[in-house]
Every structure is written in C-alpha cells, then in structure tokens.
Amino acid sequence: MKYKVFGLNIVTYLVLAACGVTMVVPFLWMASSSLKREEDVQKSEIRFIPRTTKRYVQQNGERVEVRVISEKVKVRFADQTPDGLEPVAEVDAHLFHESGDRSYVMMEGRKYAAEKLDTWARVKTVETGETLDGVAPDSIEVQSWIDPQWHNYADAWNAFKIDTRLFEQLFGLRMPVDVPIRTGFVMFYLNSTIVAVCITLGQLVTCSMAAYAFSRLRFPWRDQLFFGYLATMMIPGAVTLVPVFMLIKLLNWVDTYQALIVPGVFSAYGTFLLRQFFMTLPSELEEAAKIDGAGFFRIYWQIALPLSKPALATLATFTFMGSWRSFLWPLLVTQEPRMYTLPIALQQYQTLYTTRWHLMMAASMIVLIPIIIVFLFNQRYFVEGVKLTGMKG
Amino acid sequence: MSGERRREALAGYLFILPNFLGFLVFVLGPVVAALALGFVEWDLGPNLAFVGLSNYRELIMDGMFWKYVFNTLFLMLGIPLGMAGSLVLALVLNQKIRGRVAFRTVYFLPTMCAGVAIFFLWKWILDADFGLANQILVSLGLNKIGWLTTVEWAKPSLILMGLWGGIGGFNMILYLAALQNVPRHLYEAADIDGAGRWRKFWNVTWPYLTPTTFFITIMSIIGGLQGGFEAAYIMTKGGPARSTTTISYYLFQNIYNNERFGYAAAIAWALFLMVFVFTLINWRLGGKLVSYD
C-alpha cells in the first residue's frame, strides 16, 4: 500500500492505532463502570456512557414514576402455531419482531409469522409499589440522560472503616495528642507511602555504600563476598520467603512497619546494579581527591554518588514501584486492616462488595489514578530506566 | 598490612556492614535455613520433627503438585507470543512516526498500572454475566463464555490478560533500545544488494536482537516459573477446579493456610531446581544462537 499518513503506510498506522485502542479501552470501561448505578452496570448491552433512565405513566392526571415488569404482545399466527399455543395468543414483547412489512415471533430458534393485534405492559409504581396492568406502551414516557454517579467514589472511599490513631500506630506509643483516623483509604495510602519511601531510602543508602566498597575499596575476601551476593540472586524469592516469614513470626513483628520495611531493604540486585555502575566511573577524580587528602567516605559522598545520579534514580524508581505494588509479602505479614497497604486493602474490597462492580471499579480507580498521573508526567523517566537496567543485564 | 591498606580494608568492611548484616539475616541466612527446613515438618509450634527426605518424597508423589507444575508451564505459553508481539510493536515504533511517544506511552500504561486494580478490572471485563468481553460476544450474536468460570477458558483467559499487560511493556522498550543500536549503513548496503524486507530483517536486524532476546527469554522464564500467584489469588482463588493454581500459589497455601513450613521449603527448593535447569538449558542454547559483536 503506497498511501502514507504521518509518514507511514496506512495499514501500519491502523494496526498501531488498533493496539492503542486495545490498551486504552479497558481503562475507559473501568472509568465508565465506576460512574454507573448498580442496575446500569448489570446490563447485557455495551454502553460506555453512564445513563439514568426513568419511565413515567399518567395516573389520575399525575405523572408517576414506574418500573416496567413485563411487556406483552397479542398476536395472531399466520401459518404455523408454536407448540402449546393457540392461534391467537399472548407472547413476551421481546420475542416479537417487525422488519419491513413482515412480522414474526421468534421461539426456540424458529420464526413464526404473526400479526400484531394488541400490546400492553405491566408496570409497578416506584413510590407505592402498586401494580398497574394494561398500560399502553406508547403512553409510557421515557426520560434518559447522561448521569455519572460521582458519589460512587465517595462511597468507595468511605466504605472501609478503621479505628486507629496516627502517631500511636506509627511509633507504637500512646501519645497525649494524636490524630484519629477512621477512613481506611487515608491509612492505606499512608502505609504504602511510608513503606515504599523507607525501603527506597534504605536500599539507596545501604546498597550504594556496599557497591562503592565492592568496586573501589580493597579488603580481604572482597570478591568472594560479592560472589556470594551474585549466587543468591539466582535463588528464587520463594526460597527465602518461608524462613523470613517464620523469622517475622518469631520476632512478633506481624502487623508492624518493621516487618513490611526491613526485609525489603536488603536486596542483592540493588548492590549488583550499583556496583556495575560504579565500575564504569573513571577513577581520575578519586585519585585527585585522595591526593588532596580526602577520606573514603568523602570520596563516596561527594564524588561517586553525584556521578551516579542516573543509576541511583533508576534504582530508586524501580524499588519504589516494586514496593508500592508488592502484594504477597504484605499479605503474609499484615492481619489488621489499619496496617494494610493499598494492594491488600483493595483486595479486601472484594469481600466487602462481592459483585457490586460499579463500587469495585470506583475503589480501583481511587488506587490507580495517582499512578496514572505520576506516570503520564514522568513517562520518559521510566522508559530510560528500563533501558538502563536491561542493558546492564 | 601497611597502615594505609589497613585503613582501606577497615573502610571497606564498614561500608558493607549495614548491607551485609541485612544480607546475612534476610537473604543468606534464610537460604541456609530453608535448606534445613526442607528436612523437617514444623508449624512453628512445639512439634518440630526431623523427617529426612520425606517432604521431597511426598512432593514427588504429590499429584496436585504436578498438576500445578503443568498449570505453571501452560501459563508460560504466553511468553513467546508476548515476545513476538513486543518485537513487532518495537519494529513498527522504531520508524519516524508522528505521535510515536504518545503510542509508546499508551502501550506502557498497562505495565505501569499492573497490580491488584488491573486484576479486578479484568475480572470484571471477563465477568460471565455482564462483563465487557461477553457483551461484545452477545452483540456479535455469539454465546457468552465463562472466561474465568470454566476449566477450558480459565488459563487461556489469564494468558490473554498477560499478553494485554505485557506486550507494550518492558520487552518492547528493550527491543526498541536494541533496534536503535543497529548501524544504518548496513541497511543501505542491503538496499544496494537488492535485499527485500524479510531479508533485511533476518540478516541485518535479527543478529543485533539476539542478545536482547536471550536476556528477555531467561528473565521471562525465571519470572514465569515463579509467577501466577497474584492473578490466581485475586481473580480465581486458584480455580475453577484448581486449574489456575501455580507452584507459587501452592507455596502460599502451605505457608498461610496449612502452615507446613517444612513442606513449603521443599516446594521452594523444587522451584529453584526448575529455575536452575531452565536457566542452564537457556544458557547452553543461547550460547549457540546469540551473536555478540
């Protein structure tokens, strides 16, 4: 195909666009579902825009809101009559079809030619619950308008209640002045943030110090120790999971911040990544600093670290992301809702809401929106980071 | 040792101290402990029993375990599909297109948002009654499918979801980076020789992609063997009829539900063995097929 659109032939562009649409549509569906009413979410037709539909009939000169229970059509069958029915019979309205000048009833996969004689509906008033029969479908007034249910978000936000005090939970001490927290999501966001920040800082500090030592300092057993680090990188996390979990239980660290943070700080990957990076730094600057009499810590702090900003930033980003999303570990070490991180809390919404998907989607959006915003503003950052880790591996 | 050397050595040890201590307590120590754990039956209570190889023997005879191994391997069928898809996307995006960054951003979105929320979303999309997938089927006149509720469709559904989430993600970015390293003049030379599109790809592009492919394959297999827990726990609880329970899910069950820490450790070591063997196979194969310049 020779036609070019935006510098590409049109087929390729369509393929790219189709992929883009496939990526985005589920998110749109999530947003759309989160703004619907419960009845609206349980429909069989595809509808992306949340609508509210109300039906009215005239009763005693007044307009009354109703719900339609059933609609029936009285027909006369032209040729064949379905089994069990008379030539003149009542059928559900949705079985009756009119196309052009032909009308028929569809039953059990077969079409039966039929003529419409009459049609009526049975409705129930919303306010009084009174049932009205014989209502002409034409007389039912239908009003439908776009009606996003923003309150779903407020409902989902407030649905998970906890009972805790902020400083008491953070520091484990009774404080004279404290902040009571009742809304789950506030604490969940706080927990996820605290854990992610502490793990990231912990890794940055400990891994960079160790990486500096492994790459720039000489001490006995240096290379053998580093090989030990490498060797453990081959071992799946599952192997260390069991003993570390048992350790947490033995230390009585269940439902504590230590349990969530400390094991995550010590990873061989961070040390490995930074050590590889340090090895690529030119040593002239350090030599010069040594001649000037700088100690090892100063060289580390004022020369090696500033030069490693990209690698440190990448490590920080991935560590933060990994910790934010972490599911299995927080699941194992937290029991009380006040200690939940966002992923665990969201999972609990499943028991809270079972099949009330509009609320489930609202809760999911509450969790996802910050991530999407952060990503959209920093996406180049993430992509560069992936390239950095990939190329070093 | 001279004074200076001694100071350097001391500094070295001090620098690695915090990291190394943590490493001992939370990485190396546990690995050794896990070795020992594989030989006991314990629930952290007073009943600690040394049972020798019986955990491993039980594991080999455990029909459920082998079913879960099958599940795990089945779910990994999506890996080559995903890699091919990522490669195609990278090839297309590597050209000068208007809106290229926008496409790349949109494609990366599922990977970025990965987690519980996405699993909920897909559980809803694949809902048998009112999910978007079935709504589409019904509007095309087809029957609804029990995506997550029938044994035939549960694993394929998870594979499809994995493809959606992974195709525009890390692998695509890595391929894009590799593609940018292919020297332009080779393509020009190929043009002069009259090479067609396929020829150009196979003889010029592909050799530059083999290291990345090798890396992605190894990482995907290692990840795939250990994965499947989160999706199963959130979407299917390992069902229907345990068809989506993976090795890691079984591990979780033995830690959380059964509290059989010895048996769990044995499962973990079995997993390690599998990772080791697959990585070894990959390494051998890769050595023959990968070209470095």
Side-chain angles (χ1 to χ4, degrees):
Chain A
M1 230 140 295
K2 286 291 182 179
Y3 301 107
K4 289 210 181 264
V5 174
F6 296 116
L8 259 195
N9 70 54
I10 201 162
V11 171
T12 325
Y13 209 78
L14 281 177
V15 168
L16 273 184
C19 283
V21 164
T22 320
M23 299 292 169
V24 170
V25 160
F27 290 102
L28 292 177
W29 181 248
M30 183 163 68
S32 148
S33 301
S34 69
L35 292 171
K36 290 185 179 172
R37 289 176 195 266
E38 191 152 0
E39 315 90 68
D40 220 357
V41 141
Q42 290 164 355
K43 288 257 161 62
S44 286
E45 316 114 28
I46 306 176
R47 214 186 273 158
F48 272 87
I49 303 181
R51 278 177 172 277
T52 295
T53 308
K54 287 197 194 287
R55 295 177 170 77
Y56 302 92
V57 295
Q58 294 285 18
Q59 194 188 30
N60 306 329
E62 269 183 35
R63 203 178 68 153
V64 173
E65 190 192 340
V66 296
R67 283 203 218 292
V68 175
I69 302 177
S70 64
E71 252 186 70
K72 295 231 192 272
V73 179
K74 186 165 164 185
V75 295
R76 189 206 316 270
F77 289 103
D79 310 308
Q80 288 176 304
T81 311
D83 291 326
L85 290 181
E86 303 286 313
V88 171
E90 233 178 69
V91 296
D92 283 329
H94 71 268
L95 295 172
F96 181 79
H97 301 269
E98 277 175 306
S99 64
D101 52 353
R102 272 191 298 175
S103 54
Y104 58 91
V105 169
M106 175 84 96
M107 282 184 78
E108 281 136 28
R110 291 183 54 190
K111 296 184 185 175
Y112 298 90
E115 178 196 338
K116 175 165 81 174
L117 298 177
D118 201 356
T119 162
W120 61 80
R122 168 181 286 183
V123 304
K124 195 164 171 173
T125 42
V126 169
E127 202 176 314
T128 61
E130 189 190 335
T131 308
L132 300 170
D133 261 318
V135 176
D138 293 341
S139 72
I140 301 179
E141 186 190 333
V142 180
Q143 276 189 2
S144 173
W145 65 98
I146 297 178
D147 190 17
Q149 308 290 308
W150 298 105
H151 67 88
N152 282 348
Y153 283 88
D155 293 343
W157 179 266
N158 290 319
F160 206 135
K161 290 279 183 227
I162 57 173
D163 188 12
T164 184
R165 295 187 208 306
L166 179 60
F167 295 114
E168 184 175 336
Q169 177 168 325
L170 284 179
F171 303 117
L173 302 163
R174 284 238 127 160
M175 311 285 263
V177 185
D178 212 333
V179 180
I181 298 188
R182 294 280 148 72
T183 310
F185 259 116
V186 172
M187 208 60 232
F188 306 146
Y189 263 103
L190 268 174
N191 288 340
S192 278
T193 310
I194 292 171
V195 170
V197 166
C198 290
I199 289 186
T200 306
L201 283 178
Q203 274 216 11
L204 281 179
V205 171
T206 60
C207 290
S208 66
M209 281 175 64
Y212 176 67
F214 280 126
S215 63
R216 283 292 190 252
L217 301 176
R218 276 158 301 189
F219 48 94
W221 298 99
R222 180 187 72 173
D223 293 329
Q224 290 86 338
L225 285 176
F226 188 65
F227 185 73
Y229 274 74
L230 278 191
T232 59
M233 271 169 68
M234 269 238 359
I235 301 186
V239 169
T240 54
L241 190 72
V242 183
V244 178
F245 177 66
M246 292 169 77
L247 183 64
I248 300 293
K249 284 206 114 171
L250 282 172
L251 290 172
N252 242 319
W253 275 12
V254 174
D255 277 325
T256 61
Y257 285 102
Q258 307 88 286
L260 286 167
I261 297 174
V262 176
V265 173
F266 303 105
S267 98
Y269 286 98
T271 312
F272 176 69
L273 188 75
L274 289 180
R275 185 246 190 196
Q276 298 303 100
F277 188 81
F278 279 140
M279 303 275 280
T280 67
L281 291 181
S283 49
E284 293 92 42
L285 283 166
E286 294 172 53
E287 314 274 315
K290 264 193 221 157
I291 294 174
D292 285 347
F296 295 114
F297 190 77
R298 270 190 80 191
I299 299 181
Y300 157 78
W301 189 255
Q302 293 185 333
I303 299 183
L305 278 191
L307 283 179
S308 334
K309 285 218 184 95
L312 290 173
T314 305
L315 181 63
T317 310
F318 278 94
T319 309
F320 195 90
M321 266 173 58
S323 161
W324 191 265
R325 269 193 225 158
S326 165
F327 185 74
L328 176 54
W329 183 247
L331 181 68
L332 285 176
V333 302
T334 59
Q335 307 266 32
E336 291 185 42
R338 62 183 173 86
M339 290 302 295
Y340 285 166
T341 54
L342 283 171
I344 311 299
L346 190 58
Q347 150 68 8
Q348 290 300 105
Y349 267 81
Q350 209 172 165
T351 25
L352 193 66
Y353 281 148
T354 43
T355 56
R356 298 166 72 187
W357 285 108
H358 57 305
L359 294 167
M360 291 283 294
M361 288 297 109
S364 301
M365 289 283 281
I366 293 178
V367 170
L368 267 192
I369 287 179
I371 301 180
I372 296 184
I373 294 179
V374 166
F375 172 62
L376 288 178
F377 278 108
N378 292 318
Q379 50 93 15
R380 211 198 320 169
Y381 216 39
F382 290 107
V383 172
E384 297 302 318
V386 173
K387 290 190 202 172
L388 201 78
T389 35
M391 301 314 252
K392 293 286 178 193
Chain B
M1 240 197 300
S2 68
E4 230 202 85
R5 276 303 182 86
R6 203 173 277 175
R7 260 190 298 123
E8 186 170 343
L10 186 67
Y13 289 123
L14 282 178
F15 265 79
I16 69 171
L17 191 65
N19 187 310
F20 190 70
L21 266 185
F23 176 74
L24 275 181
V25 174
F26 290 104
V27 182
L28 198 57
V31 168
V32 172
L35 267 175
L37 268 178
F39 300 120
V40 308
E41 184 69 50
W42 195 21
D43 62 352
L44 269 188
N47 320 311
L48 168 62
F50 180 77
V51 294
L53 286 175
S54 114
N55 279 336
Y56 292 100
R57 222 177 294 138
E58 185 183 341
L59 194 61
I60 297 179
M61 313 273 262
D62 188 353
M64 284 288 109
F65 174 68
W66 292 108
K67 181 189 170 96
Y68 302 150
V69 170
F70 172 74
N71 287 345
T72 310
L73 292 176
F74 191 98
L75 287 174
M76 284 165 65
L77 286 177
I79 293 177
L81 289 173
M83 280 172 61
S86 296
L87 178 56
V88 167
L89 283 181
L91 283 171
V92 176
L93 277 186
N94 195 37
Q95 305 165 65
K96 288 192 181 36
I97 310 169
R98 201 103 70 78
R100 176 185 179 188
V101 175
F103 275 120
R104 202 188 56 187
T105 308
V106 165
Y107 292 166
F108 202 72
L109 199 58
T111 302
M112 189 61 209
C113 297
V116 183
I118 296 289
F119 290 130
F120 270 3
L121 172 60
W122 276 94
K123 191 171 177 187
W124 170 224
I125 290 180
L126 297 175
D127 186 64
D129 295 315
F130 304 115
L132 182 63
N134 276 345
Q135 285 183 347
I136 295 179
L137 286 182
V138 165
S139 73
L140 292 173
L142 303 165
N143 280 329
K144 291 187 188 178
I145 294 182
W147 299 98
L148 296 173
T149 50
T150 52
V151 178
E152 306 84 42
W153 282 101
K155 287 200 277 283
S157 302
L158 291 183
I159 293 181
L160 283 174
M161 178 182 75
L163 283 178
W164 175 85
I167 244 184
F170 295 116
N171 296 343
M172 185 187 84
I173 306 290
L174 287 176
Y175 272 132
L176 267 176
L179 283 173
Q180 271 154 17
N181 282 335
V182 183
R184 293 279 135 150
H185 62 83
L186 288 180
Y187 287 120
E188 289 156 16
D191 271 332
I192 293 175
D193 286 346
R197 280 247 290 267
W198 177 250
R199 257 292 156 91
K200 271 196 264 190
F201 173 75
W202 192 244
N203 292 349
V204 179
T205 319
W206 179 247
Y208 278 90
L209 294 179
T210 43
T212 308
T213 306
F214 181 59
F215 175 72
I216 294 179
T217 308
I218 290 200
M219 300 304 279
S220 300
I221 291 189
I222 294 180
L225 284 170
Q226 301 176 57
F229 169 70
E230 215 168 314
Y233 186 79
I234 293 169
M235 296 172 82
T236 59
K237 283 287 187 298
R242 305 191 221 200
S243 59
T244 56
T245 306
T246 56
I247 302 174
S248 56
Y249 196 95
Y250 193 39
L251 180 71
F252 169 78
Q253 282 177 330
N254 277 293
I255 299 178
Y256 205 64
N257 301 334
N258 309 342
E259 290 202 319
R260 287 189 65 193
F261 296 116
Y263 197 55
I267 298 175
W269 283 112
L271 185 59
F272 165 70
L273 197 63
M274 278 185 259
V275 168
F276 189 75
V277 168
F278 270 94
T279 309
L280 212 61
I281 297 178
N282 255 307
W283 204 268
R284 287 285 157 80
L285 280 179
K288 299 208 181 84
L289 297 174
V290 176
S291 50
Y292 290 96
D293 273 342

